[in-house]
Amino acid sequence: ADLSAGMLVRVPLGHRRVRGIVVEVSRRASERRLEEIAGIVVAVPLCAPPLDALAEWTAVRYAVPRGRAYGRFVPPRVRVRAGEITGSGTSLGSQLVSRHEGGDGLMAAVRRGDAGVWCFRCTPEADQGSLVAELVGAARGQALVCVPEVRFGSRVLETVTGRLPHLVRVDSEMAEGDRARALLALASGHVLGGGGRSAVFAPAPALSLIVMSDEHHPSYKEERAPRYDARRVAIERARLQSATCVLMSPTPSVETGAHAQGGDFGSVVPARA
């Protein structure tokens, strides 16, 4: 197969063969002898442009080597093929979202695939899973759902899966084979993925919507290098892919609330009684 940017390949390094991401393909002659690529691990690009720009941004912002940043896009070391691919979403209406002030505007933006960031302040007792499912059902392209903690399960992901069974999980609580299959399916065009903070890096070349549930939660900040803030990565990714980013919480973070009040983000709030 022909090489393209974003592909995962195997290359010789000393006496070993290691995996690497192709960042650029050039046709010009090299001034020195280069080792040949040993093989292509995954034929579908996992970090195709503009995701390479997101990896470069992550490396600079969080002060890590480029390899660490690109490593966030690489699936576990298992031999799998992409699972079944679903090519379109399922509309669920907007009954719950539309009950909020600004909800109709957000749904219209999601349906059009408008680029931008929205602060969605729901009530503490709101069923966030159903709200997320309505948003995802309206998305034109691929959608990613991030939740703050998956170690003990996620009611939000369970609710979304109950209404949209084609959701594939990409979090570390899944078996490595299942996670790798989900990542490859998303790279190939599967419409819906979900997981913890690392889902913000899941390959989705046609991304049109990314939703962060309980965006105020501190576990969105990774404690190991790169020590990224998944919320900030989501905002940058939405900018690069011209997608809609929804930061949902009954208690938005100070930064998100300030941006919404200042008019930098769209705003959705509970309807006044």
Side-chain angles (χ1 to χ4, degrees):
D2 291 335
L3 283 177
S4 63
M7 278 187 174
L8 182 64
V9 296
R10 189 176 295 105
V11 296
L13 181 63
H15 299 294
R16 300 180 297 146
R17 288 188 175 182
V18 300
R19 299 193 300 175
I21 293 283
V22 177
V23 297
E24 182 182 357
V25 177
S26 174
R27 303 297 180 184
R28 66 179 183 270
S30 173
E31 296 178 356
R32 57 191 177 88
R33 182 181 177 277
L34 299 176
E35 293 282 358
E36 292 186 0
I37 290 176
I40 296 174
V41 179
V42 178
V44 61
L46 298 172
C47 191
L51 290 184
D52 58 338
L54 183 64
E56 298 286 349
W57 176 90
T58 300
V60 172
R61 182 176 180 88
Y62 299 107
V64 294
R66 297 170 73 200
R68 283 288 185 92
Y70 278 94
R72 302 305 309 181
F73 296 89
V74 176
R77 286 182 178 273
V78 291
R79 293 181 179 274
V80 298
R81 294 181 179 179
E84 182 180 354
I85 296 173
T86 300
S88 61
T90 303
S91 177
L92 299 174
S94 60
Q95 295 89 346
L96 296 178
V97 175
S98 294
R99 293 175 190 170
H100 296 71
E101 290 187 16
D104 287 336
L106 172 56
M107 288 298 291
V110 172
R111 291 191 180 104
R112 290 192 301 263
D114 291 349
V117 184
W118 290 73
C119 171
F120 192 144
R121 181 165 65 86
C122 55
T123 60
E125 64 274 9
D127 180 356
Q128 286 194 46
S130 293
L131 291 170
V132 172
E134 286 187 0
L135 293 170
V136 169
R140 296 180 62 182
Q142 292 178 284
L144 294 174
V145 178
C146 300
V147 296
E149 184 58 71
V150 293
R151 187 177 305 171
F152 304 108
S154 168
R155 181 174 296 179
V156 169
L157 290 181
E158 290 170 1
T159 300
V160 175
T161 302
R163 304 186 70 179
L164 299 169
H166 55 279
L167 180 145
V168 293
R169 294 277 295 270
V170 295
D171 54 84
S172 58
E173 295 305 302
M174 305 299 292
E176 287 191 342
D178 293 335
R179 182 169 173 243
R181 266 185 291 272
L183 289 168
L184 296 185
L186 287 167
S188 301
H190 189 85
V191 295
L192 179 57
R197 60 178 172 263
S198 63
V200 76
F201 291 108
L207 183 71
S208 68
L209 174 67
I210 183 165
V211 183
M212 312 289 289
S213 174
D214 278 334
E215 67 88 23
H216 66 277
H217 203 283
S219 69
Y220 275 124
K221 294 185 176 181
E222 174 62 71
E223 296 179 351
R224 296 171 295 180
R227 292 183 171 86
Y228 63 91
D229 183 338
R231 294 164 295 193
R232 187 64 189 85
V233 176
I235 292 171
E236 178 65 12
R237 179 168 187 177
R239 185 188 71 81
L240 289 169
Q241 292 192 270
S242 299
T244 308
C245 178
V246 180
L247 306 176
M248 182 181 293
S249 173
T251 55
S253 62
V254 173
E255 303 95 321
T256 299
H259 280 299
Q261 285 190 337
D264 299 322
F265 293 174
S267 179
V268 177
V269 298
R272 295 185 177 91

